[in-house]
Structures are given as C-alpha cells and as structure tokens.
Amino acid sequence: MTTIASRATAAAVPTGPSPAGRRRRNLDRWAAWGFLLPVTAYLAVFYAYPLFRNVDLSLRNYTVRSFVRGDAPFTGLANYRAVLSDPTFLPALAHTAVFTGASIAFQYTIGLALAVFFRQHFRLSATLRAMFLVPWLLPLIVSASTWSWMLNSDSGIVNTAAGLVGLGPVNWLTSPQWSLVSVLIANIWIGIPFNLVILYSGLQTIPDSLYEAAALDGASVWQRFWRITFPLLRPVSAITLLLGLIYTLKVFDVIWIMTRGGPTDSSTTFATWSYRLGFGTLLPSFGPAAAVGNLLVVTALVFGLAYIRFQRRLVTS
C-alpha cells in the first residue's frame, strides 16, 4: 500500500518545467540571440563580405569597366599563376619575410627588455613608460614622415650626426642596399611600445614571492629571468608575437610613405605590391592585387591556427 501511494504521489507531482520556467528560458534564449545579432552582423558586413569580394576579385579578370559594370569573366586561378610567375614575386616574398621576421624579433626583444626594466619600480618609472608610448600614439603618416626627414640623404639629422663623428653620408631611402633597412628601423620603433605594454601587463601577473624565493635560493638575475619570467610569460608572449605578425604583414603606410617600395623594388613587400597593382597605375590590375592580398590572408590564417594549436597544447600540458 505504501508503494502504491508513493507512486501515486510522484505521478501527481509535475516533473517537467513549469510554464513560467519555460517562458523564462525562452526569454533568455531570445536575449542571447539579441546580443549576438549585432556582433554577427558586424562580422558579416565588415569581415565576411569583404573577404568574399576579395576572393571573387582574385578569380576574375576585372578591369575598370568590368568592375563598374560587374561583368568580369571568371578566370579561375589565372591571377594566382600570374602573380607567382611575376618577377616581383620572389623579391617581394623575401622582403616580406625579412621585414616581418626582423620587426617581430627586435620589437619583442626590446619590448621585453624594457618591460623587465620597468618592473623594477623607481622614481619616474610611470613617466618614462608614458613617454615610450608616444610612437604608438602618433598617426603612422606622422611617424613615417618624421623618419623620412630624419633619414634624408642631404638634410637628414642622421647623416648630419654621422658627419660630426667622421662618417660619410648614407643614402638611406634612395639606395637599394639601405631602403629596406630604413623602413625596418622605422617600423621597429613604432612597434616597440605595443610589445612593452602587453609584456609589462603580463609581468604584473607573476607573484613577487617567486622571485623572493629564488633569490633566497641563490638564483642570479639571469637565472630568475630564464627560470621564472620567461616561462610564465609564455602565453602572453605567444599572443604578442601573433598580433605583431598579423600587424607587420599588412604594414603599408610606413613603407609607401618612406620609399614607395623602391628604389627598383628593393623595399617592396606583398602589402605595397598589392596596393601598387590595384591603385598605383593608370591601368589597375584588380585580380592580381586581390590575389596578393589573399596570400597575406592565408599566411596570417596559418599562423593563427598554429597559435590556437599552441594554446591547446599549453592548456593540456
């Protein structure tokens, strides 16, 4: 009898959610979609559609007329084959690799050194950190124009200072041997503050007790850096390097203002080459320009996927 009564009581009690609970859950679901909709629309309009249009441009033979009329014939991978067989491709590839690799290496190394230096709190530390942010806050056109003036062969302050110590003038912007070095120096100077800010923020998450314990154990400053700072800063370093890579791959303003990719393509990268193909001549080649741009997108995507895999391995290890 007790068992039958308990079963009857259990059957009488509703086990599913109440109508009020269902309404509440539906409202939460619609609210979530409401918050997600603006982000989705933004990504679709400003990222997905431009990317689709760029891919479409690279697969068709667009001219100024066909671009306006929208009747460009489909050519498949012809634009990519034209880009890969172009004499400018290999030099632009080499310049892009050197410019990106050297920029990231120097920006990260100098930014990390400055971050470790400023972690030692001292008087005027905050003021000096703020001053180091100036290159990052300036518009790129101002920074590039300033470096163009400083590196001018005739009236630049760099050659003037070199002459005071007995060194001859250098054609920084007009010599094929020095043009890439010139834009590289300017880009490193611009990117150091970004690395400083991110790495300094990462250093603030490392407890001081670890350094105190290591000092009591007799560890030197160098040992504390390699055994504590560098390993614990690895996740922050990874995202810093990835963002620096993506930013440097698409650097156009600095190179174009200072050298326009010259002389004789000695400082041409994929970014400046793509712009020159699409907008730098009276007869633009929209298809090849889009193909070069897509090569940059694929490169950034490959490194982005590598970063995601690195993060997963870091979490599971």
Side-chain angles (χ1 to χ4, degrees):
M1 292 296 293
T2 304
T3 304
I4 295 174
S6 61
R7 289 178 180 176
T9 303
V13 177
T15 56
S18 64
R22 285 196 296 269
R23 285 195 299 270
R24 177 66 179 177
R25 192 158 52 188
N26 290 333
L27 288 175
D28 290 343
R29 186 181 296 112
W30 282 110
W33 280 107
F35 282 109
L36 188 62
L37 183 60
V39 178
T40 305
Y42 173 81
L43 293 176
V45 172
F46 294 101
Y47 286 89
Y49 179 72
L51 183 60
F52 167 77
R53 286 291 297 152
N54 204 58
V55 173
D56 180 70
L57 278 171
S58 68
L59 298 177
R60 297 180 182 274
N61 183 22
Y62 274 97
T63 61
V64 176
R65 180 179 179 182
S66 61
F67 187 84
V68 175
R69 297 178 57 180
D71 57 352
F74 181 80
T75 57
L77 300 177
N79 289 321
Y80 291 92
R81 288 193 293 268
V83 166
L84 294 176
S85 60
D86 194 292
T88 310
F89 174 76
L90 288 180
L93 176 63
H95 298 158
T96 303
V98 171
F99 181 79
T100 304
S103 293
I104 294 174
F106 281 99
Q107 288 172 356
Y108 176 80
T109 303
I110 299 175
L112 179 59
L114 290 173
V116 173
F117 171 74
F118 283 119
R119 195 179 188 278
Q120 315 299 321
H121 300 289
F122 55 91
R123 186 176 298 179
L124 298 181
S125 174
T127 304
L128 291 176
R129 286 204 313 271
M131 293 178 61
F132 270 102
L133 293 180
V134 171
W136 193 28
L137 299 177
L138 288 175
L140 288 178
I141 188 172
V142 175
S143 300
S145 299
T146 302
W147 277 100
S148 295
W149 168 75
M150 292 174 59
L151 297 175
N152 186 274
S153 302
D154 300 323
S155 58
I157 189 174
V158 174
N159 277 349
T160 302
L164 295 177
V165 295
L167 299 178
V170 176
N171 297 321
W172 295 98
L173 304 177
T174 58
S175 170
Q177 289 77 25
W178 291 101
S179 60
L180 185 62
V181 176
S182 302
V183 296
L184 185 59
I185 293 173
N187 190 64
I188 291 172
W189 179 80
I190 294 171
I192 287 175
F194 172 78
N195 287 259
L196 168 60
V197 170
I198 302 298
L199 295 173
Y200 181 80
S201 301
L203 287 176
Q204 303 310 302
T205 63
I206 302 177
D208 292 333
S209 58
L210 295 178
Y211 295 101
E212 295 171 359
L216 291 176
D217 290 337
S220 63
V221 174
W222 190 249
Q223 289 174 328
R224 277 177 278 173
F225 173 79
W226 278 113
R227 300 297 179 87
I228 299 176
T229 304
F230 198 71
L232 294 181
L233 205 60
R234 192 175 301 165
V236 179
S237 297
I239 189 62
T240 303
L241 293 174
L242 176 64
L243 294 176
L245 172 73
I246 295 174
Y247 169 80
T248 309
L249 280 174
K250 63 183 183 65
V251 167
F252 160 78
D253 317 64
V254 176
I255 301 175
W256 191 258
I257 292 172
M258 293 182 65
T259 65
R260 293 186 177 269
T264 63
D265 291 334
S266 58
S267 58
T268 294
T269 62
F270 278 168
T272 58
W273 187 28
S274 177
Y275 177 85
R276 190 174 63 195
L277 287 173
F279 305 99
T281 61
L282 295 177
L283 296 175
S285 302
F286 294 118
V292 176
N294 287 332
L295 293 179
L296 288 176
V297 173
V298 171
T299 303
L301 180 62
V302 168
F303 281 97
L305 295 176
Y307 167 75
I308 293 175
R309 184 175 180 181
F310 170 79
Q311 284 296 97
R312 289 179 177 175
R313 292 179 58 184
L314 197 65
V315 171
T316 56
S317 60

